[in-house]
Amino acid sequence: MPTHHGPDEQLLAAAESGKIDEVRRLIAAGATIEARDLRKATSGRTPLMLAAGQGHDDVIAPLLAAGADVNATDEPSGQPSPGFTPSFNLGGLEVVEEEYRLGRTALMFAAAGGHINAIRALVSARADVNAADFASCTSLYLAARGGRAEAVSELMQSGAKINARGPKGGTACRQWVHKGVTKWACFNGC
């Protein structure tokens, strides 16, 4: 949790913890809806990204209603953060440095965690299901890489491109085959 006690830090902490009443109170008090987390592991994330990444779908609605950008990334400059050094291992992305921002959206964080209701809430708010981060990972790719079958299905039903190229030309299908889910991959045209 953020260690500072200003309203923006409180909003970040409340969103990440799923404290909906606190989120509503802080929004009403004027906390910055697009506040950015300053902690190393979650640097650049907004309250929406933190809530989505933890699966707090009930917190997503008030954040969106207050004007949170559903397609904002954790790197607002649009460029990889200093220290971003991708390393590829069996088609999966590993980040060498601890402090990094990959240009990921709230939907990507929800998909990586397999949070179905958060995915649905974000897609309903017109989250871009085919957006890619700086390493070319899409929400579908991240869900497949994590073995999140329900999230993969939900994203596919929402229009995610199953054969979009990710790191080193890999696809979500290739991630499923790597995970040993060949029956699912074959059924879905991989």
Side-chain angles (χ1 to χ4, degrees):
M1 298 295 145
T3 56
H4 299 96
H5 299 289
D8 293 349
E9 291 82 8
Q10 289 175 24
L11 179 59
L12 289 160
E16 185 174 37
S17 300
K19 297 178 180 175
I20 190 164
D21 292 334
E22 184 72 359
V23 167
R24 287 184 177 136
R25 182 188 71 74
L26 290 161
I27 290 170
T32 306
I33 200 70
E34 295 293 336
R36 298 289 175 156
D37 198 341
L38 300 177
R39 295 172 296 164
K40 271 190 160 184
T42 53
S43 178
R45 295 184 195 174
T46 64
L48 182 62
M49 292 172 204
L50 293 170
Q54 295 299 317
H56 299 306
D57 53 285
D58 56 334
V59 173
I60 290 172
L63 292 169
L64 290 170
D69 181 354
V70 73
N71 290 308
T73 71
D74 62 353
E75 181 48 71
S77 74
Q79 299 295 318
S81 61
F84 170 73
T85 310
S87 165
F88 298 100
N89 179 15
L90 299 173
L93 176 70
E94 295 176 10
V95 178
V96 176
E97 297 290 328
E98 240 184 85
E99 183 175 355
Y100 60 92
R101 293 182 295 274
L102 293 171
R104 291 194 174 159
T105 65
L107 182 60
M108 292 174 186
F109 292 115
H115 304 299
I116 303 304
N117 290 332
I119 291 169
R120 288 180 181 145
L122 295 164
V123 168
S124 292
R126 300 184 185 253
D128 182 351
V129 297
N130 291 303
D133 68 12
F134 299 135
S136 301
C137 294
T138 63
S139 296
L140 182 62
Y141 185 93
L142 294 168
R145 187 179 76 193
R148 312 292 189 176
E150 287 182 73
V152 167
S153 179
E154 188 67 34
L155 289 162
M156 287 177 56
Q157 290 174 32
S158 299
K161 295 177 184 171
I162 193 161
N163 287 313
R165 297 287 172 188
K168 294 188 92 174
T171 64
C173 288
R174 192 175 292 170
Q175 290 299 308
W176 273 112
V177 171
H178 175 67
K179 293 284 183 191
V181 192
T182 53
K183 182 177 179 183
W184 180 94
C186 293
F187 178 75
N188 286 287
C190 296

